Structure formats: C-alpha cells, structure tokens
Amino acid sequence: MSEMQDQVIRQHCKALRMPSIGGQFRRLEETAVREKQSHVDYLEALLTAEMEERESRAIARLLQEARLPRMKTLEGFEFDRSGVSAAQLRGLAEGGYIVKAEPVLLVGEAGTGKTHLATGLCVAACRQRRRVRFTTASGLINELAEAAHANQLSRALGRWERLDLICIDELGYVLLAETACELMFQVIADRAEKAAVIVTTNLPFSEWPQVIPNPRLCKALIDRLTDQAHIITTGVDSYRFRCTTAQRKAAKP
C-alpha cells in the first residue's frame, strides 16, 4: 500500500469521523497478513477498534462531566479492612438500583470510606454510559441558591432531574438553614421513584433533626430517601486511618 493511499484512507477516515481506523488500519493489516485472516476478519478488527475507542472516549467524557472529587473505584477499596460487604457493593455496581430508581445511603463516621464507595459506584455507572453528577450537600445547595437568585431555579432543577444518577456527599456535616433544606428536598423529591440518588452522611437518621431543624421537612426528606433504599453502614472506625497506618508500616525497612 503506497504512502499516497495511506494519506487518502486517513483523510477519508477523518471525514467520516473514524480516527481509530485511520490510525490503526496499517497495524491491523500487518496482523491480518501474519495470521492469514480473511477480508471479513480484517474488516471486523477495524470496526472493533473504532467501537472500542469510541466507547473509551464516551466513558472518559462522562467521567469528566460527573465532577468526581477523585478517581476512586470499588476495585481500589480494601473491603477486608472495612465492615462493608464487597458482594453487596459489587452487586450495586451492576446498576440494578439505577434501573429501579432506588436510593443508596452510606452511613458512617468520617474516614470510614463513604465517599470512596460512593465515587466507586459513580465510576461504575459512567462505565455503563450513564449520566452522573457528584456534589457535596453544600455544593448542591449553593448552586441552587445561585440559580434561584438569578431566577433560573426551574432550569437548574431540570438539569439535576435529567441525570441518571446523582451523588450527594457529606449530608449532615453542617447545620442547614430551612431554605437550603427546601432546595435540597426539591432535588430529591423530583427523583423519588424516577431516578437514583446516592447520599453519604455521618449521622444516623435519628440525629438528622440536628442539621435539619424543620421536623416536617426532615421527616419528609428521610421518607423519600429511605423508601426502597439500600442502606449501607460503614461503621465508626476510620478506614482511612487504618489504611494510612498499614501503608506506613509497610514502608518501614
């Protein structure tokens, strides 16, 4: 195959938006000749390379749009150092709770792995080509408050409602004003039985009135979040502290 032919093929692939084929057709041709593949086998290899690259780019875009605090996966979580069931989390990672619009609540003290597990579920959802958004409770409230101030609240709520999965991290760390609670409730109520939500909190439900002073609103929020929910307790002993201690011990000569 001449250099001119190579250039023509690459130009065609660029015009057709098939960059992977344009970049790999020569290498795959050499493989096909060496392994005595048929023309159909070669064509299949080209198309497979293009599809895999498109899948990879789509997932990378979804991960970026999810705004994850760090790229942490369930594969990187040391379940043997926590009291969390690996089987349960891996089962959730398959995505059934998203299809059924079931909430996932991670309840435990600081450092017990709540955010890591929540992030891991978000990554798994992105790999399944689902639209995901990660935020802290304060970040969500601030965004909605700014939208309300700009008379854009309905539009902002619509963006949150269209997502396949949202994760609200650190609910319960600070006292919430009633207006803030109402904004968060709108997001969660709009998703009830329609779309999935993950929430991490350091407070048992009996202590939520400490940060949500309106008892009626607090009860309504708990009712929405716990209906058909997967409630996972991560415990009180810091998983993060144990991992750090173990790493330091391993690093000693």
Side-chain angles (χ1 to χ4, degrees):
M1 188 178 292
S2 68
E3 182 62 30
M4 184 174 295
Q5 283 180 313
D6 283 12
Q7 292 178 1
V8 170
I9 290 174
R10 291 190 180 100
Q11 289 173 357
H12 288 337
C13 288
K14 183 177 181 180
L16 293 169
R17 298 182 180 179
M18 295 181 172
S20 295
I21 291 179
Q24 298 190 53
F25 72 92
R26 174 68 80 175
R27 179 182 62 81
L28 292 174
E29 178 209 22
E30 294 172 354
T31 301
V33 171
R34 185 173 61 253
E35 297 180 0
K36 298 181 180 180
Q37 296 177 355
S38 68
H39 291 84
V40 174
D41 290 335
Y42 177 49
L43 176 61
E44 181 185 4
L46 287 172
L47 295 175
T48 297
E50 184 65 40
M51 290 298 296
E52 288 177 348
E53 180 62 24
R54 290 190 181 193
E55 180 78 6
S56 178
R57 289 198 302 268
I59 293 172
R61 184 180 67 254
L62 289 168
L63 287 169
Q64 183 177 18
E65 292 173 353
R67 303 186 190 181
L68 302 173
R70 293 179 182 83
M71 185 57 62
K72 292 192 174 184
T73 64
L74 294 181
E75 293 86 348
F77 190 83
E78 299 182 28
F79 286 97
D80 56 339
R81 291 183 179 175
S82 74
V84 180
S85 167
Q88 183 180 15
L89 265 296
R90 288 165 185 159
L92 287 171
E94 295 176 1
Y97 74 100
I98 301 176
V99 176
K100 298 176 182 177
E102 296 170 341
V104 175
L105 305 179
L106 294 157
V107 185
E109 294 290 343
T112 55
K114 301 185 302 296
T115 300
H116 186 152
L117 293 171
T119 303
L121 289 175
C122 289
V123 170
C126 289
R127 289 172 177 171
Q128 296 162 9
R129 303 287 292 270
R130 303 184 190 277
R131 295 166 299 169
V132 178
R133 175 75 187 278
F134 184 103
T135 183
T136 61
S138 59
L140 172 61
I141 290 167
N142 289 338
E143 180 178 327
L144 295 176
E146 290 174 5
H149 183 72
N151 294 320
Q152 298 291 324
L153 182 58
S154 294
R155 182 175 296 180
L157 290 171
R159 288 195 298 268
W160 284 97
E161 189 176 1
R162 287 191 293 272
L163 293 165
D164 298 311
L165 172 66
I166 66 172
C167 177
I168 304 173
D169 195 28
E170 299 180 349
L171 178 60
Y173 281 78
V174 294
L175 178 67
L176 301 177
E178 185 162 341
T179 302
C181 295
E182 291 172 353
L183 290 172
M184 182 181 298
F185 179 76
Q186 286 187 67
V187 172
I188 292 172
D190 286 344
R191 301 180 68 80
E193 299 183 8
K194 293 187 293 185
V197 59
I198 298 173
V199 171
T200 76
T201 179
N202 62 319
L203 295 178
F205 300 119
S206 61
E207 296 181 20
W208 279 32
Q210 296 178 9
V211 294
I212 305 175
N214 184 321
R216 185 172 298 175
L217 188 59
C218 182
K219 184 177 184 300
L221 187 61
I222 292 174
D223 285 345
R224 295 294 195 287
L225 285 174
T226 56
D227 184 34
Q228 304 297 317
H230 301 269
I231 301 175
I232 300 166
T233 302
T234 58
V236 297
D237 295 329
S238 175
Y239 160 82
R240 185 162 52 231
F241 177 77
R242 290 198 303 273
C243 288
T244 301
T245 302
Q247 290 169 1
R248 288 177 178 174
K249 288 182 178 178
K252 288 182 179 180

